[in-house]
Amino acid sequence: MINFMFKKGIALLLIGSCLSCNFRSEETEKEIESYKIEIASMKKKIQIKESVNFSLREINEKNESKIEGLEEKAKSQFYLSKNEASYLIDEKMQFILNKKDFLDKTIKIADFKSNSFFEIYNFFFYFGDYYESNPVEDQRGFMQYLMNRFDRNSDNIRSFFNEEIVEYLAEAIRLTGAYESSGLESRIIFLLTAYEDEASDPDLFLKLHKKFSSNEWSWDEDFLLNLPSENVKMIMSDSFDVVVDAQKVFDSYGFWARRHKEGNAEVVYTILKEFKTFLP
C-alpha cells in the first residue's frame, strides 16, 4: 500500500513537473514572440529611417550637383562665343525677362561716375563683326554683344523701351549722380534739338548716312561745323556754355543718320523725349 502511494506520488510529481514545464514554455514562447514583434518593428523603423536618409542624401547630392552646374553656368555665361550664346537670345532680346535687372547691371558696368557718356556709348555700341568669330571675354563685352545684336526695328524698340522701362532707366541713371557730369544731359539735348530742327528734311540724314559710310569719307571739320543750324548752336551754347565742336556734331547727326537708315528715328525720338521728362 505504501509502495503504491509512493509510486502514485512520483507519478503526480512527474505530471506536475511536465505540466509546469509546459506552462512555462507557453509563457516563454509568448514573451519571445512579443520580443520578435518588437524587434521586427524596430528593424522596420530602422529600415524606414535609413531609406529616408538615403533619399535625403540622394536629393541633397542632386541639389548640390544642380547648384554646381548653375554656379559653373553663372561663371561661364560671360565667356561664350557668339554661336554658343545664340541659344540664350533671340533677335528681339525677349530672353531678358527682367529688363530692370539687365539695365541695373548695364549701368553698373558702364560706371557713369568714372566715364563720360561718349566713352560709355562707344564701348557699348562697338560696331563691327568682331564677335562673329571671337569669344565674349567679360561682362561688358556680353552686354555690348547683346546691344549690338538687338533688332532695332520700331516695334522692337518701343516694346523693349516702354514708358515704364524708360522711367526706370532715367531714375537709375539719375541715382548715379552723374547724369550731368557724364555729358549725357547735353547729349540728349543736342540729339533732340538736332532732330526737331531737321525733322522737316529727313532726306538730309539719309544723305549723311551714305556720306559717312562711304570709303571716300574723310574727316571734314568745316563740313561738320556747318551742319547744325544757328538755332541748334544757340541752344547748345546757351544751355551748356560750350562750343559746338565737330565731334559733337558728328556723334549727334551720325546718330540720326543711322536711325533714319534703320527706319526707327521717330520712335527713338519719342523715347528720348520721354526719358528727358523723367529727369530734372
Side-chain angles (χ1 to χ4, degrees):
M1 184 68 176
I2 293 173
N3 188 40
F4 172 77
M5 291 297 292
F6 176 75
K7 289 181 177 179
K8 187 177 179 181
I10 293 295
L12 289 172
L13 180 61
L14 289 172
I15 292 170
S17 296
C18 289
L19 289 173
S20 176
C21 287
N22 287 337
F23 289 144
R24 283 198 299 271
S25 178
E26 288 178 8
E27 290 174 358
T28 301
E29 287 297 327
K30 287 181 180 178
E31 191 172 359
I32 290 173
E33 188 63 29
S34 69
Y35 287 150
K36 287 181 179 179
I37 293 170
E38 188 175 354
I39 289 169
S41 176
M42 290 177 69
K43 282 183 176 180
K44 189 172 183 179
K45 289 178 181 178
I46 291 170
Q47 288 175 348
I48 292 172
K49 187 175 181 181
E50 287 178 346
S51 176
V52 170
N53 287 339
F54 176 79
S55 296
L56 289 174
R57 281 197 301 271
E58 194 174 33
I59 291 169
N60 286 339
E61 286 173 2
K62 287 181 179 178
N63 286 337
E64 286 173 3
S65 178
K66 284 181 182 178
I67 290 170
E68 287 175 5
L70 289 172
E71 286 176 344
E72 286 303 311
K73 187 175 181 181
K75 289 177 185 176
S76 66
Q77 66 173 314
F78 295 112
Y79 295 85
L80 300 171
S81 71
K82 189 166 186 177
N83 289 335
E84 289 170 337
S86 63
Y87 75 94
L88 291 170
I89 60 184
D90 59 37
E91 295 301 325
K92 298 180 181 179
M93 295 177 79
Q94 294 302 311
F95 76 100
I96 302 174
L97 299 180
N98 190 334
K99 297 176 186 178
K100 294 177 181 178
D101 181 59
F102 173 77
L103 293 174
D104 287 340
K105 285 184 172 64
T106 305
I107 291 169
K108 184 177 180 180
I109 293 170
D111 190 3
F112 275 76
K113 290 185 178 179
S114 302
N115 296 295
S116 70
F117 184 73
F118 174 78
E119 293 169 322
I120 293 169
Y121 182 82
N122 281 331
F123 67 50
F124 272 120
F125 292 96
Y126 172 90
F127 292 97
D129 59 0
Y130 177 81
Y131 291 113
E132 291 294 341
S133 56
N134 294 278
V136 176
E137 296 179 346
D138 53 30
Q139 291 190 16
R140 192 180 80 180
F142 187 70
M143 296 296 186
Q144 185 184 64
Y145 160 63
L146 294 180
M147 290 179 177
N148 280 280
R149 189 178 173 86
F150 186 66
D151 180 358
R152 291 185 290 272
N153 70 57
S154 295
D155 290 341
N156 287 349
I157 291 173
R158 181 74 272 193
S159 175
F160 188 84
F161 290 102
N162 57 51
E163 190 169 344
E164 179 188 2
I165 291 299
V166 172
E167 182 177 8
Y168 184 86
L169 176 60
E171 178 64 10
I173 291 177
R174 186 188 69 78
L175 290 174
T176 67
Y179 171 56
E180 296 178 11
S181 61
S182 68
L184 176 56
E185 182 184 28
S186 61
R187 169 81 162 166
I188 295 293
I189 296 294
F190 202 158
L191 285 172
L192 292 174
T193 305
Y195 180 87
E196 291 164 357
D197 196 63
E198 304 291 352
S200 61
D201 186 16
D203 288 341
L204 166 67
F205 293 112
L206 292 175
K207 291 175 183 176
L208 287 175
H209 186 275
K210 184 176 181 179
K211 185 178 183 68
F212 293 152
S213 302
S214 172
N215 292 328
E216 299 175 2
W217 162 255
S218 59
W219 190 264
D220 187 339
E221 190 166 325
D222 290 336
F223 171 78
L224 291 169
L225 289 175
N226 286 322
L227 270 177
S229 69
E230 291 305 314
N231 179 51
V232 173
K233 293 179 182 178
M234 181 183 68
I235 290 174
M236 288 302 296
S237 299
D238 290 350
S239 300
F240 300 100
D241 193 26
V242 295
V243 176
V244 179
D245 59 34
Q247 184 66 57
K248 289 186 177 66
V249 174
F250 180 77
D251 292 341
S252 297
Y253 280 76
F255 176 89
W256 287 120
R258 290 191 297 275
R259 302 294 77 80
H260 277 277
K261 179 64 177 178
E262 293 169 357
N264 54 37
E266 186 176 351
V267 73
V268 170
Y269 168 74
T270 299
I271 290 169
L272 289 177
K273 193 82 171 173
E274 289 174 355
F275 181 83
K276 183 69 178 66
T277 64
F278 295 124
L279 288 160

